[in-house]
Amino acid sequence: MPPHMPFPPCSDPHTMDFRVEVFDELPSTNTWLYKYALQKPEGYCVQALRQISGKGRFGNSWTSPPGNLYLSVLLKPDCDLGRGGQITFCIAVSLTETVLKFVPDKNLLKLKWPNDVLLNDKKIAGILLESASGNNGRVDFIVAGIGLNIYGQSESYAKLSDIEGFNADIDDIRDEFLNTLKENYETWSTKGFENIRQRWLLYAKGIGETIIVRLRESRFEGTFRALDKDGCLLLEREDKKTNKMITQRISAGEISFGQQNKSE
Ligand code: BTN
């Protein structure tokens, strides 16, 4: 399917390296970009005005009606896959800092580990990273897909236009995001993860509180203690076998807040 219109490189000097190609419709911007990633330069972005088969985390679908931002960004960091995983936090911080510029009450916006953006406790944006690596474990490329609900209806999720008086252009939000990402990506590439980690913690929901972590075949309740130097969630909980408190490192999973219903 041909692009809706070739979009020129963003005019702001910060986003010079990002080039956005806009399609009316795609099955999924992530799937499209993943297919062409080896032929495209770092910073190449694909946006669709709607998606037919938008993809979410854990194999879920991402409802993608018109009126929202569906964007995939191609990154080619010179690092191994482990470190490449930190980019999810770089994207999450960039998206949060972007959305903050459009939200009058800054306290309403939070990040849910690892990378869901919440407005008033309801999800407003999700991020899906898909990567490829060589036999040596080095990253070939990362496709970072962003879905941000702005005007389009999407079932139980929140959208930016739920905010009274909200009136911003989707392309302006996209360009603001790319500006912010460029700065944060440069910080991460040159200075490492610590600065991004600290900023992620500033926006995080639930630090020091009770959370439930769902893994593939189990779930645990405990206190969300911290985000470690690799982006893993540190969960302090009682080990049922020894009755001792332990700190469990969680690298992937789904969290929810508050105490588990004892009857569950
Ligand atoms: C999540 O489940 O929270 C992640 C959702 C990611 C959705 C975006 S929309 C643009 C890009 N293309 C896709 O198919 N998915 C991502």
Side-chain angles (χ1 to χ4, degrees):
M1 188 183 301
H4 166 60
M5 56 168 186
F7 199 84
C10 298
S11 48
D12 187 295
H14 277 305
T15 56
M16 272 192 312
D17 299 332
F18 286 111
R19 177 177 291 267
V20 186
E21 192 171 352
V22 184
F23 290 79
D24 264 340
E25 181 180 289
L26 279 179
S28 152
T29 55
N30 262 36
T31 304
W32 191 95
L33 192 53
Y34 197 95
K35 186 169 167 195
Y36 297 107
L38 290 175
Q39 299 149 40
K40 303 286 185 192
E42 179 168 63
Y44 197 89
C45 304
V46 181
Q47 182 184 357
L49 304 187
R50 59 180 177 273
Q51 298 183 118
I52 311 292
S53 323
K55 298 187 294 185
R57 292 173 68 219
F58 305 118
N60 294 327
S61 56
W62 185 260
T63 312
S64 307
N68 296 329
L69 179 63
Y70 311 112
L71 182 73
S72 295
V73 181
L74 183 60
L75 299 172
K76 299 193 172 180
D78 183 15
C79 67
D80 60 31
L81 262 185
R83 195 168 165 248
Q86 296 169 354
I87 286 180
T88 200
F89 298 94
C90 198
I91 306 272
V93 165
S94 304
L95 198 51
T96 304
E97 291 177 345
T98 301
V99 176
L100 272 172
K101 293 185 179 132
F102 297 90
V103 174
D105 183 351
K106 313 293 176 208
N107 296 318
L108 292 183
L109 209 68
K110 290 280 173 219
L111 264 172
K112 178 181 166 202
W113 183 85
N115 57 19
D116 286 346
V117 184
L118 309 179
L119 176 71
N120 218 355
D121 284 341
K122 279 173 108 183
K123 182 160 167 170
I124 195 168
I127 295 165
L128 177 67
L129 254 62
E130 297 184 284
S131 56
S133 60
N135 289 338
N136 57 2
R138 306 293 292 176
V139 171
D140 288 334
F141 62 81
I142 292 175
V143 171
I146 290 107
L148 171 64
N149 295 332
I150 303 176
Y151 295 105
Q153 283 301 338
S154 39
E155 293 138 33
S156 57
Y157 292 163
K159 53 187 188 302
L160 268 176
S161 56
D162 291 339
I163 298 167
E164 216 184 304
F166 172 85
N167 177 23
D169 192 86
I170 296 176
D171 289 353
D172 290 345
I173 298 174
R174 176 201 62 202
D175 289 349
E176 184 66 46
F177 168 70
L178 292 175
N179 275 324
T180 313
L181 176 60
K182 173 149 171 72
E183 281 179 23
N184 288 335
Y185 184 57
E186 271 173 17
T187 301
W188 175 80
S189 312
T190 54
K191 298 191 179 137
F193 184 44
E194 187 51 22
N195 176 286
I196 300 294
R197 191 183 77 87
Q198 293 289 346
R199 297 218 320 277
W200 187 93
L201 284 167
L202 271 184
Y203 310 126
K205 178 176 163 72
I207 304 281
E209 294 174 13
T210 301
I211 59 166
I212 296 153
V213 180
R214 285 182 181 78
L215 307 181
R216 202 181 290 262
E217 309 219 315
S218 49
R219 66 178 179 178
F220 301 100
E221 182 175 326
T223 306
F224 184 173
R225 278 293 165 222
L227 184 75
D228 80 0
K229 59 175 183 38
D230 300 314
C232 291
L233 183 157
L234 298 183
L235 182 77
E236 188 181 65
R237 66 172 179 89
E238 190 182 325
D239 180 10
K240 292 278 182 306
K241 286 188 194 131
T242 62
N243 288 342
K244 292 212 170 95
M245 294 308 282
I246 56 165
T247 299
Q248 185 174 355
R249 219 170 150 252
I250 314 275
S251 60
E254 186 75 57
I255 69 166
S256 51
F257 302 98
Q259 268 171 336
Q260 189 170 353
N261 183 343
K262 297 292 177 206
S263 63
E264 275 185 305

